[in-house]
Amino acid sequence: MGALLRCILLLFVVGVVAVPGAVAGRLSRNYYRHSCPRVERIVADVVAAKQRANPSTAAGTLRLFFHDCFVGGCDASVLVSPLTADRSPERAADINLSLPGDAFDVVVRAKAALEVACPGAVSCADILALAARDLVGILGGPRFPVALGRRDARRSDARDVEGNLPRTNMSARAMTVLFARKGFTPQELVALAGAHTIGFSHCGEFAHRLYNFKSADGYDPSLNPTFARALQSSCANYKNDPTISIFNDIMTPGKFDELYFKNLPRGLGLLASDAALWEYPVTRVFVQRYAANQTAFFEDFARAMQKLGAVGVKTGRQGVVRRHCDVLN
């Protein structure tokens, strides 16, 4: 264990050195003060209307933001449609095929409104960052400032995705290594995982925990038995209907709160990667902290989201401002 912790610490230190602090420093809350002073209000209005009409928008947009930032930086490269690109973009990668349409749609709607108010001014990357922040607040989560000034990527390639995003069956140890490469601590990993307090997962993502598992009962013994049997029943037809899904947090699925963390020691973590955070001592301590203290979770989540929003950002001539978020300029 001591050697493992030293390894993780070393990776974290290396990752911190690689974080583009100077680039993040060029972002500013007042970036659009002259070119589009109402940008935050326009995005907030569009986001609120979309969330009212489609309540799954919040969780999908948070996931979309994370998938964008962890692959090449927060540059809206994940938004590029396979129908408009010369080669397969990030969106066509296997792990991104389940990104929900409502998440893309809310960015498209906000972009359309901004193009009317401030043509050619606001990047798709900034819209996605603002939308993710606003949706957390709408569902009762923390509100926090978002620095702006990101530019959109000139390229998007599905080949860049593999190895840069956590899988649902990943061990906590592997996730800490992955996050360390991006400059994030185990604590920040756990804080960001708290986004699973909202949203849902398709049965196919966790079916290996429910059927033909090498245990006396045939399911993952880390699952609460009652929960496991209910999942077996609910997901029984998942092979014929891959759209069958279950809420990530079965207690308060529509509220951004700390219940996700309270669920984990009770065997109510839906994904193997969720349960792993409780089983691994390095991350368990932070699960315990957030389960006991919602304020601590909110504060750490807000800081981690601000840090996430600064990963690999492009500013100035490093990128462009797309007129259409799903099309490369």
Side-chain angles (χ1 to χ4, degrees), residues 20-267:
V23 174
R26 292 200 291 270
L27 300 180
S28 167
R29 287 198 65 194
N30 299 317
Y31 184 82
Y32 296 108
R33 178 172 51 190
H34 301 297
S35 61
C36 195
R38 296 186 62 248
V39 57
E40 294 202 37
R41 172 46 54 193
I42 292 171
V43 172
D45 288 346
V46 171
V47 163
K50 177 65 179 179
Q51 177 64 19
R52 285 195 299 270
N54 302 94
S56 65
T57 299
T61 304
L62 267 177
R63 185 173 171 226
L64 185 64
F65 180 57
F66 177 78
H67 280 224
D68 185 43
C69 293
F70 255 43
V71 180
C74 307
D75 58 7
S77 52
V78 76
L79 301 180
V80 177
S81 170
L83 300 177
T84 66
D86 293 334
R87 65 177 67 186
S88 293
E90 291 175 24
R91 189 168 169 179
D94 176 66
I95 197 172
N96 285 335
L97 294 178
S98 61
L99 290 171
D102 285 327
F104 292 99
D105 184 60
V106 73
V107 177
V108 169
R109 289 170 182 258
K111 179 65 170 175
L114 287 166
E115 285 299 305
V116 172
C118 327
V122 182
S123 70
C124 302
D126 277 344
I127 293 171
L128 180 54
L130 287 170
R133 184 275 309 270
D134 290 346
L135 286 160
V136 169
I138 288 172
L139 294 188
R143 298 179 182 272
F144 49 91
V146 172
L148 302 169
R150 299 166 189 78
R151 291 297 180 103
D152 300 325
R154 292 188 174 93
R155 64 182 295 277
S156 179
D157 194 328
R159 293 173 296 183
D160 297 337
V161 175
E162 186 60 36
N164 282 301
L165 293 170
R167 295 280 180 173
T168 55
N169 61 351
M170 219 174 207
S171 70
R173 178 187 301 184
M175 286 190 289
T176 57
V177 172
L178 172 60
F179 274 68
R181 291 207 322 262
K182 307 290 183 180
F184 288 81
T185 67
Q187 180 170 1
E188 290 164 335
L189 155 63
V190 177
L192 289 172
H196 284 181
T197 188
I198 57 175
F200 57 83
S201 295
H202 294 102
C203 291
E205 296 286 356
F206 53 89
H208 66 283
R209 304 184 71 198
L210 305 179
Y211 308 109
N212 302 315
F213 198 91
K214 292 183 179 179
S215 68
D217 296 306
Y219 56 77
D220 185 341
S222 68
L223 285 166
N224 175 287
T226 302
F227 184 45
R229 288 190 290 271
L231 291 175
Q232 286 177 328
S233 176
S234 297
C235 293
N237 197 40
Y238 82 95
K239 289 184 179 180
N240 295 321
D241 183 0
T243 65
I244 299 175
S245 55
I246 305 293
F247 287 122
N248 293 326
D249 171 7
I250 60 170
M251 298 301 185
T252 55
K255 183 180 179 183
F256 197 99
D257 57 23
E258 83 287 4
L259 264 292
Y260 163 78
F261 296 108
K262 291 183 175 179
N263 289 341
L264 298 185
R266 300 170 181 167

Side-chain angles (χ1 to χ4, degrees), residues 1-8 173 279-282:
M1 180 62 71
L4 174 61
L5 288 172
R6 285 194 295 273
C7 177
I8 291 171
R173 178 187 301 184
E279 295 164 1
Y280 188 43
V282 174

